[in-house]
mmCIF file of all heavy atoms in Angstrom:
data_model
loop_
_atom_site.group_PDB
_atom_site.id
_atom_site.type_symbol
_atom_site.label_atom_id
_atom_site.label_comp_id
_atom_site.label_asym_id
_atom_site.label_seq_id
_atom_site.Cartn_x
_atom_site.Cartn_y
_atom_site.Cartn_z
ATOM 1 N N LYS A 163 11.603 1.324 18.368
ATOM 2 C CA LYS A 163 10.240 1.336 17.858
ATOM 3 C C LYS A 163 9.249 1.135 19.010
ATOM 4 O O LYS A 163 9.401 0.264 19.855
ATOM 5 C CB LYS A 163 10.077 0.212 16.830
ATOM 6 C CG LYS A 163 8.929 0.397 15.857
ATOM 7 C CD LYS A 163 8.998 -0.641 14.753
ATOM 8 C CE LYS A 163 10.205 -0.417 13.853
ATOM 9 N NZ LYS A 163 10.227 -1.359 12.694
ATOM 10 N N GLY A 164 8.219 1.991 19.029
ATOM 11 C CA GLY A 164 7.236 1.935 20.087
ATOM 12 C C GLY A 164 7.588 2.773 21.304
ATOM 13 O O GLY A 164 6.746 2.981 22.174
ATOM 14 N N ARG A 165 8.831 3.233 21.384
ATOM 15 C CA ARG A 165 9.273 4.048 22.532
ATOM 16 C C ARG A 165 9.630 5.490 22.095
ATOM 17 O O ARG A 165 9.418 6.423 22.863
ATOM 18 C CB ARG A 165 10.478 3.429 23.210
ATOM 19 C CG ARG A 165 10.241 2.051 23.756
ATOM 20 C CD ARG A 165 11.426 1.552 24.582
ATOM 21 N NE ARG A 165 12.652 1.438 23.807
ATOM 22 C CZ ARG A 165 13.785 2.097 24.118
ATOM 23 N NH1 ARG A 165 13.826 2.914 25.163
ATOM 24 N NH2 ARG A 165 14.867 1.934 23.386
ATOM 25 N N PHE A 166 10.192 5.634 20.908
ATOM 26 C CA PHE A 166 10.611 6.957 20.415
ATOM 27 C C PHE A 166 9.662 7.412 19.312
ATOM 28 O O PHE A 166 9.143 6.606 18.544
ATOM 29 C CB PHE A 166 12.023 6.873 19.830
ATOM 30 C CG PHE A 166 13.118 6.681 20.834
ATOM 31 C CD1 PHE A 166 12.860 6.320 22.168
ATOM 32 C CD2 PHE A 166 14.445 6.845 20.463
ATOM 33 C CE1 PHE A 166 13.901 6.148 23.082
ATOM 34 C CE2 PHE A 166 15.494 6.661 21.350
ATOM 35 C CZ PHE A 166 15.216 6.303 22.653
ATOM 36 N N THR A 167 9.477 8.727 19.219
ATOM 37 C CA THR A 167 8.655 9.325 18.188
ATOM 38 C C THR A 167 9.382 10.518 17.608
ATOM 39 O O THR A 167 9.758 11.434 18.332
ATOM 40 C CB THR A 167 7.292 9.750 18.715
ATOM 41 O OG1 THR A 167 6.605 8.615 19.297
ATOM 42 C CG2 THR A 167 6.444 10.326 17.571
ATOM 43 N N ILE A 168 9.556 10.495 16.289
ATOM 44 C CA ILE A 168 10.169 11.628 15.589
ATOM 45 C C ILE A 168 9.058 12.480 14.970
ATOM 46 O O ILE A 168 8.079 11.939 14.454
ATOM 47 C CB ILE A 168 11.197 11.187 14.546
ATOM 48 C CG1 ILE A 168 11.965 12.364 13.976
ATOM 49 C CG2 ILE A 168 10.493 10.369 13.439
ATOM 50 C CD1 ILE A 168 13.150 11.949 13.095
ATOM 51 N N SER A 169 9.221 13.774 15.032
ATOM 52 C CA SER A 169 8.248 14.697 14.422
ATOM 53 C C SER A 169 8.990 15.957 13.994
ATOM 54 O O SER A 169 10.132 16.181 14.356
ATOM 55 C CB SER A 169 7.112 15.013 15.392
ATOM 56 O OG SER A 169 7.613 15.655 16.559
ATOM 57 N N ARG A 170 8.270 16.792 13.228
ATOM 58 C CA ARG A 170 8.899 18.032 12.799
ATOM 59 C C ARG A 170 7.859 19.138 12.644
ATOM 60 O O ARG A 170 6.683 18.841 12.391
ATOM 61 C CB ARG A 170 9.655 17.837 11.451
ATOM 62 C CG ARG A 170 8.772 17.518 10.273
ATOM 63 C CD ARG A 170 9.618 17.123 9.057
ATOM 64 N NE ARG A 170 10.493 18.217 8.611
ATOM 65 C CZ ARG A 170 11.547 18.010 7.808
ATOM 66 N NH1 ARG A 170 11.852 16.809 7.371
ATOM 67 N NH2 ARG A 170 12.291 19.044 7.416
ATOM 68 N N GLU A 171 8.328 20.348 12.840
ATOM 69 C CA GLU A 171 7.504 21.536 12.598
ATOM 70 C C GLU A 171 8.283 22.399 11.614
ATOM 71 O O GLU A 171 9.204 23.145 12.010
ATOM 72 C CB GLU A 171 7.267 22.306 13.895
ATOM 73 C CG GLU A 171 6.272 21.651 14.823
ATOM 74 C CD GLU A 171 5.903 22.571 15.974
ATOM 75 O OE1 GLU A 171 5.125 23.510 15.737
ATOM 76 O OE2 GLU A 171 6.451 22.380 17.082
ATOM 77 N N ASN A 172 7.913 22.335 10.358
ATOM 78 C CA ASN A 172 8.691 23.074 9.356
ATOM 79 C C ASN A 172 8.566 24.586 9.539
ATOM 80 O O ASN A 172 9.501 25.330 9.240
ATOM 81 C CB ASN A 172 8.222 22.658 7.951
ATOM 82 C CG ASN A 172 8.722 21.282 7.598
ATOM 83 O OD1 ASN A 172 9.686 20.756 8.183
ATOM 84 N ND2 ASN A 172 8.104 20.670 6.611
ATOM 85 N N ALA A 173 7.465 25.041 10.063
ATOM 86 C CA ALA A 173 7.296 26.479 10.292
ATOM 87 C C ALA A 173 8.278 26.981 11.353
ATOM 88 O O ALA A 173 8.586 28.174 11.374
ATOM 89 C CB ALA A 173 5.868 26.773 10.729
ATOM 90 N N LYS A 174 8.752 26.090 12.211
ATOM 91 C CA LYS A 174 9.702 26.449 13.252
ATOM 92 C C LYS A 174 11.110 25.967 12.957
ATOM 93 O O LYS A 174 11.991 26.090 13.801
ATOM 94 C CB LYS A 174 9.237 25.908 14.609
ATOM 95 C CG LYS A 174 7.958 26.528 15.134
ATOM 96 C CD LYS A 174 7.628 26.017 16.510
ATOM 97 C CE LYS A 174 6.357 26.677 17.055
ATOM 98 N NZ LYS A 174 6.040 26.193 18.428
ATOM 99 N N ASN A 175 11.299 25.356 11.799
ATOM 100 C CA ASN A 175 12.616 24.790 11.435
ATOM 101 C C ASN A 175 13.135 23.866 12.524
ATOM 102 O O ASN A 175 14.323 23.905 12.876
ATOM 103 C CB ASN A 175 13.631 25.902 11.191
ATOM 104 C CG ASN A 175 13.489 26.514 9.805
ATOM 105 O OD1 ASN A 175 12.487 26.298 9.127
ATOM 106 N ND2 ASN A 175 14.492 27.280 9.381
ATOM 107 N N THR A 176 12.267 23.020 13.062
ATOM 108 C CA THR A 176 12.634 22.179 14.172
ATOM 109 C C THR A 176 12.170 20.758 13.984
ATOM 110 O O THR A 176 11.059 20.508 13.478
ATOM 111 C CB THR A 176 12.034 22.748 15.494
ATOM 112 O OG1 THR A 176 12.481 24.080 15.673
ATOM 113 C CG2 THR A 176 12.467 21.915 16.695
ATOM 114 N N VAL A 177 13.035 19.815 14.389
ATOM 115 C CA VAL A 177 12.666 18.399 14.418
ATOM 116 C C VAL A 177 12.829 17.920 15.866
ATOM 117 O O VAL A 177 13.723 18.400 16.581
ATOM 118 C CB VAL A 177 13.505 17.576 13.444
ATOM 119 C CG1 VAL A 177 15.005 17.634 13.772
ATOM 120 C CG2 VAL A 177 13.027 16.136 13.351
ATOM 121 N N TYR A 178 11.956 17.022 16.270
ATOM 122 C CA TYR A 178 11.939 16.556 17.657
ATOM 123 C C TYR A 178 12.128 15.035 17.717
ATOM 124 O O TYR A 178 11.846 14.317 16.769
ATOM 125 C CB TYR A 178 10.583 16.856 18.309
ATOM 126 C CG TYR A 178 10.194 18.321 18.240
ATOM 127 C CD1 TYR A 178 9.327 18.787 17.259
ATOM 128 C CD2 TYR A 178 10.688 19.228 19.167
ATOM 129 C CE1 TYR A 178 8.942 20.116 17.187
ATOM 130 C CE2 TYR A 178 10.300 20.561 19.116
ATOM 131 C CZ TYR A 178 9.445 21.001 18.141
ATOM 132 O OH TYR A 178 9.085 22.328 18.062
ATOM 133 N N LEU A 179 12.614 14.601 18.859
ATOM 134 C CA LEU A 179 12.659 13.177 19.157
ATOM 135 C C LEU A 179 12.140 12.996 20.570
ATOM 136 O O LEU A 179 12.794 13.348 21.537
ATOM 137 C CB LEU A 179 14.071 12.603 19.050
ATOM 138 C CG LEU A 179 14.153 11.092 19.205
ATOM 139 C CD1 LEU A 179 13.470 10.388 18.024
ATOM 140 C CD2 LEU A 179 15.595 10.632 19.336
ATOM 141 N N GLN A 180 10.894 12.491 20.666
ATOM 142 C CA GLN A 180 10.295 12.170 21.975
ATOM 143 C C GLN A 180 10.749 10.781 22.340
ATOM 144 O O GLN A 180 10.495 9.819 21.603
ATOM 145 C CB GLN A 180 8.777 12.256 21.897
ATOM 146 C CG GLN A 180 8.069 11.882 23.182
ATOM 147 C CD GLN A 180 8.331 12.860 24.298
ATOM 148 O OE1 GLN A 180 8.314 14.089 24.080
ATOM 149 N NE2 GLN A 180 8.599 12.352 25.505
ATOM 150 N N MET A 181 11.372 10.676 23.507
ATOM 151 C CA MET A 181 11.923 9.387 23.942
ATOM 152 C C MET A 181 11.240 8.993 25.250
ATOM 153 O O MET A 181 11.370 9.692 26.249
ATOM 154 C CB MET A 181 13.435 9.473 24.129
ATOM 155 C CG MET A 181 14.175 9.986 22.904
ATOM 156 S SD MET A 181 15.957 9.938 23.091
ATOM 157 C CE MET A 181 16.212 11.124 24.417
ATOM 158 N N ASN A 182 10.509 7.911 25.216
ATOM 159 C CA ASN A 182 9.812 7.392 26.383
ATOM 160 C C ASN A 182 10.367 6.033 26.789
ATOM 161 O O ASN A 182 11.052 5.376 26.015
ATOM 162 C CB ASN A 182 8.324 7.249 26.090
ATOM 163 C CG ASN A 182 7.643 8.563 25.750
ATOM 164 O OD1 ASN A 182 8.042 9.628 26.248
ATOM 165 N ND2 ASN A 182 6.641 8.523 24.910
ATOM 166 N N SER A 183 10.055 5.612 27.993
ATOM 167 C CA SER A 183 10.487 4.301 28.511
ATOM 168 C C SER A 183 11.983 4.105 28.274
ATOM 169 O O SER A 183 12.429 3.059 27.778
ATOM 170 C CB SER A 183 9.689 3.179 27.824
ATOM 171 O OG SER A 183 8.324 3.351 28.055
ATOM 172 N N LEU A 184 12.756 5.106 28.656
ATOM 173 C CA LEU A 184 14.174 5.065 28.396
ATOM 174 C C LEU A 184 14.883 3.943 29.164
ATOM 175 O O LEU A 184 14.488 3.609 30.292
ATOM 176 C CB LEU A 184 14.812 6.400 28.715
ATOM 177 C CG LEU A 184 14.563 7.470 27.648
ATOM 178 C CD1 LEU A 184 14.806 8.870 28.195
ATOM 179 C CD2 LEU A 184 15.444 7.205 26.426
ATOM 180 N N LYS A 185 15.898 3.381 28.524
ATOM 181 C CA LYS A 185 16.669 2.299 29.102
ATOM 182 C C LYS A 185 18.131 2.741 29.202
ATOM 183 O O LYS A 185 18.579 3.598 28.441
ATOM 184 C CB LYS A 185 16.576 1.072 28.187
ATOM 185 C CG LYS A 185 15.186 0.618 27.889
ATOM 186 C CD LYS A 185 15.173 -0.532 26.884
ATOM 187 C CE LYS A 185 13.784 -0.979 26.535
ATOM 188 N NZ LYS A 185 13.789 -2.103 25.546
ATOM 189 N N PRO A 186 18.888 2.112 30.104
ATOM 190 C CA PRO A 186 20.320 2.462 30.192
ATOM 191 C C PRO A 186 21.039 2.310 28.870
ATOM 192 O O PRO A 186 21.959 3.093 28.585
ATOM 193 C CB PRO A 186 20.838 1.463 31.237
ATOM 194 C CG PRO A 186 19.648 1.205 32.125
ATOM 195 C CD PRO A 186 18.464 1.197 31.201
ATOM 196 N N GLU A 187 20.629 1.379 28.041
ATOM 197 C CA GLU A 187 21.292 1.168 26.740
ATOM 198 C C GLU A 187 20.958 2.298 25.739
ATOM 199 O O GLU A 187 21.547 2.323 24.654
ATOM 200 C CB GLU A 187 20.921 -0.174 26.137
ATOM 201 C CG GLU A 187 19.440 -0.479 26.079
ATOM 202 C CD GLU A 187 18.995 -1.311 27.263
ATOM 203 O OE1 GLU A 187 19.386 -1.043 28.420
ATOM 204 O OE2 GLU A 187 18.189 -2.288 27.024
ATOM 205 N N ASP A 188 20.074 3.213 26.100
ATOM 206 C CA ASP A 188 19.827 4.366 25.259
ATOM 207 C C ASP A 188 20.849 5.485 25.511
ATOM 208 O O ASP A 188 20.843 6.502 24.786
ATOM 209 C CB ASP A 188 18.427 4.932 25.517
ATOM 210 C CG ASP A 188 17.328 3.990 25.083
ATOM 211 O OD1 ASP A 188 17.450 3.352 24.004
ATOM 212 O OD2 ASP A 188 16.340 3.867 25.846
ATOM 213 N N THR A 189 21.701 5.294 26.491
ATOM 214 C CA THR A 189 22.730 6.275 26.798
ATOM 215 C C THR A 189 23.661 6.471 25.624
ATOM 216 O O THR A 189 24.230 5.492 25.116
ATOM 217 C CB THR A 189 23.523 5.852 28.045
ATOM 218 O OG1 THR A 189 22.642 5.850 29.192
ATOM 219 C CG2 THR A 189 24.685 6.797 28.299
ATOM 220 N N ALA A 190 23.791 7.728 25.169
ATOM 221 C CA ALA A 190 24.629 8.011 23.995
ATOM 222 C C ALA A 190 24.606 9.512 23.762
ATOM 223 O O ALA A 190 23.840 10.251 24.391
ATOM 224 C CB ALA A 190 24.073 7.315 22.755
ATOM 225 N N VAL A 191 25.455 9.948 22.869
ATOM 226 C CA VAL A 191 25.336 11.288 22.306
ATOM 227 C C VAL A 191 24.384 11.214 21.125
ATOM 228 O O VAL A 191 24.558 10.350 20.246
ATOM 229 C CB VAL A 191 26.702 11.862 21.878
ATOM 230 C CG1 VAL A 191 26.526 13.240 21.251
ATOM 231 C CG2 VAL A 191 27.656 11.909 23.061
ATOM 232 N N TYR A 192 23.402 12.071 21.117
ATOM 233 C CA TYR A 192 22.385 12.071 20.078
ATOM 234 C C TYR A 192 22.631 13.238 19.132
ATOM 235 O O TYR A 192 22.841 14.387 19.558
ATOM 236 C CB TYR A 192 20.997 12.159 20.675
ATOM 237 C CG TYR A 192 20.519 10.850 21.251
ATOM 238 C CD1 TYR A 192 21.100 10.331 22.417
ATOM 239 C CD2 TYR A 192 19.547 10.094 20.621
ATOM 240 C CE1 TYR A 192 20.684 9.122 22.959
ATOM 241 C CE2 TYR A 192 19.126 8.884 21.133
ATOM 242 C CZ TYR A 192 19.702 8.401 22.298
ATOM 243 O OH TYR A 192 19.293 7.181 22.820
ATOM 244 N N TYR A 193 22.600 12.936 17.834
ATOM 245 C CA TYR A 193 22.849 13.916 16.776
ATOM 246 C C TYR A 193 21.647 14.019 15.847
ATOM 247 O O TYR A 193 21.053 12.987 15.499
ATOM 248 C CB TYR A 193 24.045 13.512 15.929
ATOM 249 C CG TYR A 193 25.343 13.330 16.680
ATOM 250 C CD1 TYR A 193 25.663 12.112 17.273
ATOM 251 C CD2 TYR A 193 26.248 14.380 16.800
ATOM 252 C CE1 TYR A 193 26.871 11.932 17.950
ATOM 253 C CE2 TYR A 193 27.449 14.221 17.444
ATOM 254 C CZ TYR A 193 27.747 13.000 18.041
ATOM 255 O OH TYR A 193 28.953 12.832 18.715
ATOM 256 N N CYS A 194 21.338 15.227 15.407
ATOM 257 C CA CYS A 194 20.389 15.331 14.304
ATOM 258 C C CYS A 194 21.163 15.561 13.009
ATOM 259 O O CYS A 194 22.298 16.082 13.037
ATOM 260 C CB CYS A 194 19.356 16.420 14.543
ATOM 261 S SG CYS A 194 19.986 18.099 14.567
ATOM 262 N N ALA A 195 20.545 15.182 11.907
ATOM 263 C CA ALA A 195 21.211 15.282 10.628
ATOM 264 C C ALA A 195 20.179 15.597 9.556
ATOM 265 O O ALA A 195 19.011 15.185 9.666
ATOM 266 C CB ALA A 195 21.904 13.950 10.327
ATOM 267 N N ALA A 196 20.613 16.293 8.511
ATOM 268 C CA ALA A 196 19.741 16.703 7.424
ATOM 269 C C ALA A 196 20.212 16.054 6.136
ATOM 270 O O ALA A 196 21.410 16.002 5.871
ATOM 271 C CB ALA A 196 19.723 18.213 7.285
ATOM 272 N N SER A 197 19.253 15.640 5.324
ATOM 273 C CA SER A 197 19.565 14.940 4.099
ATOM 274 C C SER A 197 18.848 15.575 2.897
ATOM 275 O O SER A 197 17.671 15.915 2.989
ATOM 276 C CB SER A 197 19.138 13.473 4.197
ATOM 277 O OG SER A 197 19.314 12.812 2.941
ATOM 278 N N THR A 198 19.580 15.697 1.793
ATOM 279 C CA THR A 198 18.977 16.176 0.553
ATOM 280 C C THR A 198 18.508 14.996 -0.323
ATOM 281 O O THR A 198 17.948 15.214 -1.388
ATOM 282 C CB THR A 198 20.005 16.990 -0.257
ATOM 283 O OG1 THR A 198 21.139 16.186 -0.543
ATOM 284 C CG2 THR A 198 20.436 18.220 0.521
ATOM 285 N N LYS A 199 18.685 13.791 0.163
ATOM 286 C CA LYS A 199 18.365 12.594 -0.604
ATOM 287 C C LYS A 199 17.000 12.022 -0.236
ATOM 288 O O LYS A 199 16.417 12.364 0.778
ATOM 289 C CB LYS A 199 19.443 11.522 -0.386
ATOM 290 C CG LYS A 199 20.849 12.016 -0.736
ATOM 291 C CD LYS A 199 21.872 11.007 -0.345
ATOM 292 C CE LYS A 199 23.303 11.502 -0.655
ATOM 293 N NZ LYS A 199 23.640 12.682 0.154
ATOM 294 N N GLU A 200 16.481 11.153 -1.095
ATOM 295 C CA GLU A 200 15.237 10.466 -0.815
ATOM 296 C C GLU A 200 15.526 9.332 0.162
ATOM 297 O O GLU A 200 16.146 8.345 -0.187
ATOM 298 C CB GLU A 200 14.657 9.927 -2.110
ATOM 299 C CG GLU A 200 13.395 9.085 -1.900
ATOM 300 C CD GLU A 200 12.351 9.781 -1.057
ATOM 301 O OE1 GLU A 200 11.901 10.858 -1.471
ATOM 302 O OE2 GLU A 200 12.054 9.239 0.035
#
């Protein structure tokens, strides 16, 4: 919170994750996922 920002552009079928002030503990494989649920 305060470092990452999620956004989407439905016209481009794209979702983004802006990651700032990265830390070594952010090291990982990052996955996007889609949900049909609320």
